[in-house]
Amino acid sequence: MRYCVPANVAYIDGAEVDLGQVLYLTILPYGQSVCLEGIGRLIWTQAASGDDPVTGIASLVGKPVDSIEQDVADFLEDLLRRGLLAKS
Amino acid sequence: MADLPPIPLMMRTRLAHATLQAVADECGADILHIKGAAVDASLSPQREGSPAGDNVEKRRLPRLSADADILVRPAHLRRLETALNRYGWQRKTRLYSGGAVEHSVDWWHPELGSADVHIRFPGIQLSADLAFAEFWRERRSIHIAHRPCKVPSLDAQRLVLLLHAARNGGAQSPDVAPSWTNATTMEQGRVRELAATLRAEVALAGATGHLDDYSDRPEYDLWRLLGLPDADVFDLWVAMVRAAPTTLARARAILYAVRIKAERVELGLERRATTIKVLRVQGSRLRRAGVGTLSVGVRWTTRLVARLRTRNHRASP
């Protein structure tokens, strides 16, 4: 499954402004925001880039795909439900 | 997913810019993002000791701004305000002068913090509608928080930074070097041309150190005083009245001094002000104005007496 950033989501990663590894996502136009850190930030970033997030995360954390697949899929489902990611 | 901690200011203002653009798009209001994150990388202070191969964007020091500033087409202000209310923003002030003309309204979002909605920019004497149209004609699009936002042209960005600098330290302001001193002669010429179109030459001169070239202009005193770190509030008000370009603007400048500004008292207190507190602050302002008026009266009377004495002295055999 491939993902993309919905047109109504603004985001900024701390690394862009020298503020560390934290990601803020804001749903437009209401402006409600969500903070992602750690593995959650990595999953969203990987998915938003258009790459396959499961393979990417497995490679980043050095674990077999099978061992993380379900957890990543659950988290991605949550992101989709909250409108923070879209299917492409 | 973590509970939302307070969003760091530098990130919050960027998300606020993107949100304001979405609100404007939704209600069909024309807005331009100015200052802070909306400023072109080439006009930002640069990191010292960056690797030689880094481009301007990489060498740029992120701008820290207390709020997200936008300029709205004056005819679209009402529809924007209605939409801002609908999407959870609260208006904190009425049109505010900040020592110059009334130009902006503060808004607040519980998660994204402050936004400053300008209808005009201090220093520009052309009408707010025509000035916005001039900025809008040469607009461009940039990404803030990864969303497209409209900003003025690079020349107009230089001018806005310089007009802001003229009220905040004048030629000593840190924005003057990247916007003016380091600009080419051609770039400076284009900024001067734009300032002439917008009738902002005097304020521009306040930032570039050429204010005395305009000592015969009604706005001269205002920009001289705004460039001082400790200008007297009453002197500023007199200069603001004198600089007003129209009779209506002059009347509004006069009334501004005596109007009760409860929201300003509340911003200072960071909570809702009581009626007694508002009246006390207002009383103190009016007392200062009274002392100022008295001192101007004394100055004028002293000058008049001195003139009459000189005339009598000359007339006597």
Side-chain angles (χ1 to χ4, degrees), chain B residues 52-288:
Chain B
D54 278 2
N55 59 19
V56 174
E57 188 61 51
K58 278 193 175 162
R59 277 186 279 129
R60 167 193 201 181
L61 272 172
R63 274 180 179 270
L64 187 61
S65 180
D67 46 26
D69 290 272
I70 58 166
L71 183 66
V72 60
R73 188 184 291 280
H76 294 175
L77 177 65
R78 186 158 295 177
R79 75 172 74 156
L80 180 68
E81 292 193 325
T82 305
L84 285 171
N85 266 318
R86 190 162 60 244
Y87 292 116
W89 293 80
Q90 299 149 26
R91 194 166 76 165
K92 300 301 282 184
T93 64
R94 291 192 286 189
L95 267 181
Y96 173 56
S97 84
V101 292
E102 288 176 319
H103 63 277
S104 69
V105 180
D106 288 349
W107 287 79
W108 174 259
H109 187 282
E111 291 180 17
L112 304 174
S114 290
D116 207 359
V117 177
H118 296 248
I119 55 159
R120 60 171 70 85
F121 210 77
I124 294 175
Q125 298 280 86
L126 191 67
S127 79
D129 289 299
L130 294 175
F132 185 89
E134 186 63 31
F135 281 133
W136 186 253
R137 204 163 52 83
E138 300 287 335
R139 71 189 177 281
R140 49 201 276 197
S141 185
I142 62 164
H143 279 79
I144 305 178
H146 300 270
R147 301 304 314 156
C149 294
K150 297 180 185 85
V151 297
S153 70
L154 191 54
D155 293 335
Q157 288 184 38
R158 282 183 200 279
L159 181 62
V160 166
L161 289 173
L162 289 164
L163 297 183
H164 184 68
R167 294 191 289 138
N168 296 277
Q172 311 307 317
S173 161
D175 274 327
V176 173
S179 306
W180 185 258
T181 320
N182 301 345
T184 64
T185 312
M186 209 178 268
E187 287 164 341
Q188 289 184 352
R190 289 202 303 267
V191 173
R192 271 200 206 95
E193 226 169 84
L194 180 61
T197 305
L198 298 171
R199 292 172 47 210
E201 312 94 312
V202 184
L204 173 64
T208 59
H210 295 95
L211 191 57
D212 287 344
D213 295 351
Y214 296 91
S215 58
D216 58 337
R217 293 276 288 264
E219 315 99 286
Y220 171 78
D221 254 351
L222 178 63
W223 292 97
R224 184 182 59 77
L225 291 168
L226 286 171
L228 300 176
D230 52 358
D232 182 77
V233 176
F234 182 78
D235 289 343
L236 263 173
W237 176 65
V238 172
M240 183 172 140
V241 173
R242 196 177 298 156
T246 62
T247 311
L248 181 64
R250 205 163 299 132
R252 289 175 66 174
I254 290 168
L255 289 175
Y256 183 80
V258 291
R259 203 176 71 201
I260 294 176
K261 301 173 186 71
E263 71 274 11
R264 286 281 140 197
V265 180
E266 281 161 13
L267 283 183
L269 292 172
E270 291 185 350
R271 61 182 155 79
R272 197 148 193 83
T274 61
T275 309
I276 289 175
K277 179 73 188 170
V278 171
L279 290 175
R280 200 174 287 159
V281 172
Q282 179 71 3
S284 155
R285 287 180 59 241
L286 292 177
R287 262 198 306 282
R288 286 206 308 272

Side-chain angles (χ1 to χ4, degrees), chain A residues 17 19 26-27 29 32-34 42 46-48 50-51 60 64 68 75 78 84:
Chain A
V17 284
L19 284 175
T26 298
I27 297 178
Q32 304 108 320
S33 300
V34 167
L42 289 178
Q46 192 72 27
D51 294 337
L60 275 172
I68 63 157
F75 188 70
D78 192 25
L84 297 169

